[in-house]
């Protein structure tokens, strides 16, 4: 069920019977010369709406702009500062609690949002309002991604390219995929952007001239479909697991 498509009288029965909602979040930021700036929010909304359709749980409208100042040098990137993002997401989440929701899954597709969503989850859990957790599609199928790609790339790489080829192929500039690889950073490891134990970069452009990492030529719509279905299965399982938990099992433990 997609909240924004429903008339308010038709939502009453959902809030009476269910207590879980999916909140998709992404970003509007550069994803290299070949992918749309909406890559992350397209992915997040696709997962959340598909999971809602499969499980019957509620999906809210998508938060399209996230914490992305580290991509600001590239044309069109939009962002909000971390404190503003946290306050906004917390307010939206408490709005759901007003209607009777006491557990939320943040269906997130942007790494820059993670720490802020965890903080919001802690805030609403600590005061007993609800239990909210963050889910990222690629973190749910890490082994499968490693099996498929030699260099998956954490941003604008073949895993995101494959998903957008599957979900919104008309937005992919197929003729720029080799340029994405050749103008980005293909080879990297845990020492990239670090010196003597310190992380030395702040912005994506410090490591990659065109904003992306990995070998995008490994991507395909067929692989994107396979990855989408695998991660979606895990999201649906997470929904069912969370819905089955007694609320008291999700609240903070008492002081020892």
């Amino acid at each position: 069920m997609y909240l924004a498509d429903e008339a308010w009288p038709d939502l009453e029965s959902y809030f009476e019977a269910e207590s879980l909602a999916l909140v998709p979040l992404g970003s509007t930021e550069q994803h290299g010369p070949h992918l749309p700036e909406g890559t992350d929010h397209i992915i997040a909304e696709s997962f959340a709406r598909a999971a809602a359709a499969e499980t019957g749980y509620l999906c809210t409208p998508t938060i399209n702009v996230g914490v992305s100042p580290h991509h600001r040098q590239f044309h069109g990137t939009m962002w909000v500062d971390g404190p503003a993002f946290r306050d906004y997401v917390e307010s939206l989440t408490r709005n759901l609690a007003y209607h009777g929701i006491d557990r939320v899954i943040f269906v997130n597709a942007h790494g820059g949002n993670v720490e802020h969503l965890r903080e919001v989850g802690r805030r609403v859990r600590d005061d007993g309002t609800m239990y909210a957790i963050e889910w990222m599609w690629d973190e749910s199928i890490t082994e499968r991604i490693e099996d498929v790609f030699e260099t998956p790339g954490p941003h604008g790489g073949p895993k995101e390219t494959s998903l957008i080829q599957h979900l919104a192929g008309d937005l992919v500039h197929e003729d720029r995929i080799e340029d994405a690889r050749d103008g980005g950073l293909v080879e990297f490891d845990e020492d990239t952007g670090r010196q003597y134990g310190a992380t030395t970069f702040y912005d994506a452009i410090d490591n990659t001239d065109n904003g992306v990492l990995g070998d995008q030529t490994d991507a395909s719509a067929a692989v994107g479909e396979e990855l989408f279905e695998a991660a979606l299965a895990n999201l649906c399982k997470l929904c069912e697991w969370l819905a089955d938990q007694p609320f008291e099992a999700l609240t903070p433990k008492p002081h020892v």
Side-chain angles (χ1 to χ4, degrees):
M1 177 184 290
Y2 182 59
L3 186 150
D5 286 345
E6 303 296 325
W8 73 260
D10 304 317
L11 287 164
E12 181 178 6
S13 59
Y14 182 86
F15 291 121
E16 287 178 346
E18 303 290 353
S19 58
L20 186 147
L22 297 153
V23 178
L25 309 96
S27 69
T28 300
E29 64 181 24
Q30 71 84 17
H31 275 78
H34 63 305
L35 292 181
E37 301 225 345
T39 289
D40 287 344
H41 70 248
I42 291 169
I43 291 172
E45 181 168 334
S46 297
F47 274 115
R49 294 189 70 157
E54 188 162 325
T55 63
Y57 294 117
L58 186 70
C59 175
T60 73
T62 304
I63 297 175
N64 289 337
V65 177
V67 185
S68 304
H70 49 295
H71 293 294
R72 68 188 188 279
Q73 287 91 349
F74 297 94
H75 301 306
T77 290
M78 302 184 70
W79 71 90
V80 293
D81 292 333
F85 178 79
R86 291 193 298 271
D87 288 348
Y88 181 86
V89 175
E90 181 179 350
S91 181
L92 182 147
T93 305
R94 292 186 186 279
N95 160 219
L96 291 170
Y98 176 82
H99 293 297
I101 297 298
D102 66 13
R103 56 206 74 192
V104 161
I105 298 173
F106 295 128
V107 181
N108 176 43
H110 173 51
N113 294 341
V114 173
E115 64 179 291
H116 306 287
L117 295 174
R118 290 285 297 172
E119 173 61 22
V120 170
R122 177 173 290 281
R123 290 180 188 178
V124 297
R125 179 176 183 259
D126 282 354
D127 66 15
T129 300
M130 65 165 54
Y131 182 81
I133 51 175
E134 183 265 348
W135 178 87
M136 277 190 80
W137 72 274
D138 55 335
E139 294 295 324
S140 78
I141 53 168
T142 53
E143 291 184 4
R144 187 172 296 227
I145 288 171
E146 289 170 0
D147 288 342
V148 172
F149 303 120
E150 185 174 347
T151 55
H155 185 74
K159 61 183 179 181
E160 288 185 322
T161 301
S162 293
L163 242 63
I164 297 299
Q165 286 173 319
H166 167 56
L167 297 171
D170 57 321
L171 299 181
V172 179
H173 298 273
E174 297 283 350
D175 59 332
R176 300 178 188 171
I177 285 182
E178 288 190 10
D179 292 340
R181 176 198 62 194
D182 296 342
L185 183 64
V186 176
E187 299 295 336
F188 53 90
D189 57 27
E190 63 274 7
D191 293 325
T192 301
R194 293 180 62 82
Q195 293 290 339
Y196 307 108
T199 300
T200 56
F201 68 94
Y202 282 95
D203 299 322
I205 202 169
D206 295 337
N207 288 325
T208 166
D209 290 341
N210 70 2
V212 294
L213 303 96
D215 185 351
Q216 293 76 13
T217 62
D218 284 345
S220 73
V223 171
E225 182 178 12
E226 175 192 344
L227 297 180
F228 184 84
E229 294 301 327
L232 175 61
N234 282 330
L235 177 55
C236 291
K237 290 175 184 176
L238 177 62
C239 289
E240 300 297 354
W241 171 84
L242 185 54
D244 287 343
Q245 301 308 301
F247 185 68
E248 57 271 18
L250 303 173
T251 57
K253 302 297 185 290
H255 192 288
V256 296

